[in-house]
Amino acid sequence: MPPMPPSAQRRGPSWVDKLKMGMLMGGTVGGIMGLIYGTVTVFQYGGGQAGVMRTLGKYMVGSGATFSVFMGIGSLIRTDCPQTASSVWARSRYPPLIHPRRDRIQFR
């Protein structure tokens, strides 16, 4: 089977895809943490006037939404364009620049 032509190959996920993936992961983790924290709260203080399921739902949605926003923003910050990454890599190949110390007295 011949290889795919370069025009048909996919370049990778866009920043929108990365944002959605970060928000999905954050919402999942935040929802699970809200379930755990809400369950502990219901066992300690009871369901209150809203009831057990509504109280658990509030904790899960609140925690999931908060963590989803932060993970989405974090995934956008983590996103690098290929030009930036290659230029940083190219600059890192130079030897380190070492300046002489200025606090010592130099005798000539």
Side-chain angles (χ1 to χ4, degrees):
M1 172 177 249
M4 287 184 0
S7 62
Q9 292 178 355
R10 195 173 158 153
R11 293 186 173 195
S14 67
W15 65 271
V16 176
D17 295 332
K18 291 180 181 182
L19 174 71
K20 288 190 290 186
M21 182 59 72
M23 291 185 79
L24 182 66
M25 288 189 302
T28 303
V29 171
I32 292 170
M33 292 304 296
L35 175 69
I36 293 169
Y37 187 66
T39 302
V40 170
T41 303
V42 166
F43 282 150
Q44 284 181 347
Y45 305 112
Q49 293 179 345
V52 174
M53 294 307 287
R54 181 171 263 175
T55 303
L56 277 177
K58 284 182 182 179
Y59 276 99
M60 289 175 67
V61 169
S63 179
T66 302
F67 203 67
S68 172
V69 167
F70 287 119
M71 281 289 287
I73 292 170
S75 66
L76 280 182
I77 291 172
R78 182 86 173 122
T79 303
D80 293 328
C81 65
Q83 293 84 14
T84 305
S86 63
S87 66
V88 169
W89 176 254
R91 282 186 279 150
S92 69
R93 292 181 173 244
Y94 292 115
L97 182 63
I98 301 173
H99 295 285
R101 293 182 65 164
R102 295 184 184 197
D103 60 343
R104 293 188 179 173
I105 300 173
Q106 294 180 357
F107 297 105
R108 291 185 186 193

